[in-house]
Amino acid sequence: MADDYKSKLEQFFALVPKTGLSQYNNQTGAGYYGEVPSGTPAFQMRKDNMEQAKKDVAAAIAGKLVKDNDKFKTLTGLTHTQLLTNWLSGGIMTSCNGFVGKAGEAAGVKGLGGFGVEATLAKMGKRHCWISPLSGEKPQWGDVFETLSRTDGNDYMNQHVGINLSVEGEDWYTIEGGQGGRGLGFDRVARVKKKYRTSDVLGWVDMRLLASGKPALPDWLVGTWMIYAGSKTYVYSFDRYGEVTQQAYRPSPLPNGSNGPTLDKGTMLTVSGDSAKVGWHGEGGLEAFTYDRYNSFPGILERMNGVAADRSSMNGVRI
C-alpha cells in the first residue's frame, strides 16, 4: 500500500488532541491547538529564580512527587523526570528531536530525530528524499522539516525539527515536540499554527518517498517530455516517485495549465543508467526509453529515444 505511512502517522498523531486555540505566543506568533505536556509539576528555571527552582526540582525528584505523562513518553521517548534532571544540571534538552524520531519509527523509518537532517539522509543513502524550498515546492502532510531561525531579542539561532501538516497560504500547520522547555518548567508536543517563511526553512524530508524505499531516479529522466510517436504527439511527466502520466498534446494549454486530457498512467519498472522502462496501467504493455546523451545538452536541450509497446520508434525532447 503506497501511502501506508500516512495511516501509521495518523494513528501516532492521534495521541495529540485537536482543540481550539489554547495559547498564543506573542514572541513567536505561534498558536497552539492541542498538546500533550511532559508531566507535573512545572518548575520554571529562569535566570531570576534558577537557584530556588533547582532546590525545588531536586526535592520533588527525591520525594518522588514528579508525575510523568505516559502519552508524552510514547510520543518522544522522554519523561518529565528526565527533562527536569537535565535542566537541573544546566541543560536545555527538549523533545523536538525525540518526537521526530518516534514519528519516523511509527511510519516505518529509522534514523530520523536529530539536527542536520540533510546530512543524515546522505549517510543513509537517501539524499534524494531531501527537498529544498528553492525547488518552489512546499512540504506535504507528514514531511519532516528543519528550520533555523532567530527569535527577536535573542543573539543565537534556533535550530528545530518538526512535522508538517499543511501549508495554506501564509499559514503553516505543524505538529512538533519541544514546545516548552526549562523556561516554562515543562515540555510538550503540540499542534501549532504559525507563519510559513521560506527564509527560515532549511528543507524537509519527502516522507512518501523515504517510506517507499525507492531509489533516486536519474536527473535526466525526472521532468516533463514531449514524446513524438509517429503522427501522434504526447506529453509524458515522470516524477520522483517513479510514476508516469501520459497526456494528449495540445498547442495551447488548457485553462488549468495542462496540455490535454490524461490518457494513461504508468509506473517505472526498471531504471539502469541511461535506460528506463514504463509499464502502463490502462492500455498495458511496456515502453522503453534511452537517454540520448550524445545529442543532449543538460539544462539546455535534452533528448531521448523510445520503443513503444508495438515496437515502433518514439523520440522525446524535454520541455
Side-chain angles (χ1 to χ4, degrees):
M1 188 174 172
D3 287 342
D4 186 46
Y5 80 97
K6 285 188 175 181
S7 61
K8 292 177 179 178
L9 280 179
E10 285 172 348
Q11 185 176 4
F12 185 70
F13 293 164
L15 293 171
V16 185
K18 297 178 181 179
T19 67
L21 179 64
S22 61
Q23 183 182 351
Y24 183 79
N25 189 318
N26 290 318
Q27 187 175 24
T28 65
Y32 298 87
Y33 294 82
E35 60 188 55
V36 175
S38 57
T40 58
F43 295 97
Q44 294 180 321
M45 296 188 184
R46 301 188 304 261
K47 291 181 179 180
D48 60 347
N49 74 339
M50 184 64 73
E51 292 307 314
Q52 184 60 49
K54 285 183 177 182
K55 293 178 182 179
D56 293 342
V57 170
I61 292 176
K64 298 182 179 180
L65 302 177
V66 175
K67 302 297 182 182
D68 297 322
N69 187 332
D70 290 339
K71 280 188 177 181
F72 181 84
K73 184 176 180 180
T74 299
L75 287 164
T76 68
L78 297 170
T79 66
H80 191 52
T81 302
Q82 285 177 292
L83 291 167
L84 290 174
T85 301
N86 175 266
W87 301 339
L88 185 63
S89 63
I92 56 172
M93 178 187 290
T94 65
S95 62
C96 71
N97 299 113
F99 173 65
V100 166
K102 287 295 183 181
E105 290 175 8
V109 175
K110 294 183 178 181
L112 299 177
F115 299 133
V117 183
E118 182 179 9
T120 298
L121 289 175
K123 291 179 181 178
M124 295 166 60
K126 301 292 183 180
R127 173 62 182 75
H128 62 290
C129 298
W130 178 256
I131 310 299
S132 166
L134 296 177
S135 66
E137 298 183 40
K138 292 182 179 179
Q140 300 301 305
W141 189 94
D143 288 352
V144 171
F145 65 83
E146 183 170 14
T147 58
L148 187 64
S149 60
R150 189 186 302 277
T151 303
D152 291 343
N154 289 340
D155 58 357
Y156 58 87
M157 299 297 286
N158 303 306
Q159 197 164 6
H160 181 62
V161 289
I163 299 180
N164 176 72
L165 296 178
S166 66
V167 179
E168 302 174 18
E170 293 185 349
D171 294 329
W172 192 9
Y173 297 87
T174 66
I175 185 166
E176 311 173 27
Q179 298 307 297
R182 66 181 189 177
L184 285 180
F186 68 98
D187 200 8
R188 58 187 169 181
V189 176
R191 297 177 184 271
V192 185
K193 176 186 176 183
K194 52 190 173 183
K195 292 299 181 184
Y196 183 73
R197 301 183 180 92
T198 56
S199 58
D200 295 341
V201 181
L202 296 177
W204 58 88
V205 181
D206 185 330
M207 284 296 285
R208 177 187 173 192
L209 185 57
L210 182 60
S212 74
K214 293 180 179 178
L217 293 177
D219 291 341
W220 69 262
L221 179 61
V222 177
T224 305
W225 293 79
M226 190 83 76
I227 302 296
Y228 302 96
S231 61
K232 297 181 179 179
T233 304
Y234 304 96
V235 175
Y236 283 17
S237 297
F238 301 83
D239 68 21
R240 60 177 175 265
Y241 308 106
E243 298 172 350
V244 190
T245 300
Q246 180 194 68
Q247 291 178 291
Y249 169 70
R250 290 187 175 180
S252 299
L254 297 175
N256 63 3
S258 68
N259 286 284
T262 297
L263 303 177
D264 207 344
K265 292 187 177 182
T267 302
M268 298 303 307
L269 299 179
T270 61
V271 179
S272 178
D274 288 346
S275 299
K277 288 185 179 180
V278 178
W280 295 106
H281 302 162
E283 67 180 29
L286 299 176
E287 290 183 348
F289 296 94
T290 302
Y291 185 51
D292 186 357
R293 193 168 294 279
Y294 183 78
N295 291 303
S296 293
F297 299 90
I300 300 175
L301 176 65
E302 296 186 85
R303 303 177 184 273
M304 65 180 177
N305 302 312
V307 178
D310 63 2
R311 311 306 298 169
S312 61
S313 298
M314 300 184 294
N315 295 291
V317 177
R318 183 188 289 276
I319 57 176

